[in-house]
Amino acid sequence: MDALTTPFHLPLIAILRGIAPSEVLAHVGTLVDEGYDAIEIPTNSPDWSRSVALAAHEFGARATIGAGTILTTADADALLAAGGRLAVTPNTRPAVIRHAVERNLLVAAGFATASEAFDALEAGAQMLKLFPASVYGPTMVRALRSVLPSVPLFAVGGVTPDTLPGFLSAGCQGAGIGSELYKPGQSVEITRAQARRFRQAYLDHAA
């Protein structure tokens, strides 16, 4: 990707933390229908690799399916084996990032400081994830943008439809959206409604 272009048509990574394989196709299908093309299933979800495999098989041609909370090289290998293409980390572990990139995975690397951001980029991460974004706020994003190269930056952690525009205005290209989008056990209808709220917030800002 060039400069600040993300690999996603809609740069909102939908995080389905806690989803079960029996539910994943319905919720991912709803998100894809609503225009989402980046889906993350965290590794602390029940049988996460099975969920990734199901989603990738059914929707991999229309969306980038991946896993979050990638903590080890084994996690990255399991993601690849399941057919996933996006590895999202909560922290900066250069060895894990480098391994995932070498295996041709897209990596959105979690960081909390400028030093960690540069370590992640040096290891090959194609995208950065400020986490937890709600703690640092848009002011942190503006400060980071003064020193970071042209790399896609996502705000993740506590982002809501109301706070999303502030992060975008400060220099983020997108966001990862979790509990405000999906909570374990919720209905597909709630997922759809929340997805529409976030999408509209993004589109209104981009207009």
Side-chain angles (χ1 to χ4, degrees):
M1 72 195 74
D2 297 323
L4 296 177
T5 302
T6 80
F8 315 123
H9 177 69
L10 179 66
L12 298 176
I13 301 172
I15 303 168
L16 300 177
R17 189 178 302 279
I19 199 164
S22 60
E23 306 169 293
V24 73
L25 290 181
H27 288 270
V28 173
T30 293
L31 290 166
V32 171
D33 286 345
E34 292 298 327
Y36 285 72
D37 59 340
I39 312 291
E40 170 191 333
I41 299 167
T43 62
N44 52 7
S45 304
D47 200 3
W48 70 272
S49 60
R50 175 65 176 157
S51 288
V52 169
L54 289 168
H57 180 267
E58 189 71 20
F59 301 107
R62 299 169 62 191
T64 300
I65 309 297
T69 320
I70 296 291
L71 297 172
T72 66
T73 57
D75 287 340
D77 290 342
L79 169 61
L80 193 64
R85 294 186 289 146
L86 172 66
V88 184
T89 75
N91 57 355
T92 308
R93 291 293 179 268
V96 175
I97 295 167
R98 194 171 292 111
H99 178 82
V101 171
E102 287 172 352
R103 303 215 61 190
N104 295 317
L105 289 167
L106 279 172
V107 177
F111 76 98
T113 67
S115 292
E116 290 176 350
F118 281 104
D119 285 347
L121 292 174
E122 185 178 1
Q126 302 96 335
M127 296 169 281
L128 293 174
K129 161 190 163 180
L130 177 63
F131 178 80
S134 61
V135 173
Y136 299 108
T139 301
M140 175 74 158
V141 175
R142 290 189 189 93
L144 288 165
R145 270 292 168 219
S146 70
V147 295
L148 288 177
S150 295
V151 59
L153 176 60
F154 290 78
V156 184
V159 178
T160 71
D162 292 332
T163 62
L164 174 62
F167 284 105
L168 297 174
S169 294
C172 286
Q173 279 58 61
I177 51 178
S179 60
E180 287 287 328
L181 171 71
Y182 174 83
K183 292 183 176 65
Q186 78 180 25
S187 69
V188 170
E189 289 72 22
I190 292 176
T191 298
R192 186 186 303 277
Q194 294 298 84
R196 287 177 174 175
R197 288 184 65 216
F198 274 103
R199 185 187 64 198
Q200 195 59 51
Y202 175 81
L203 293 175
D204 286 348
H205 180 270

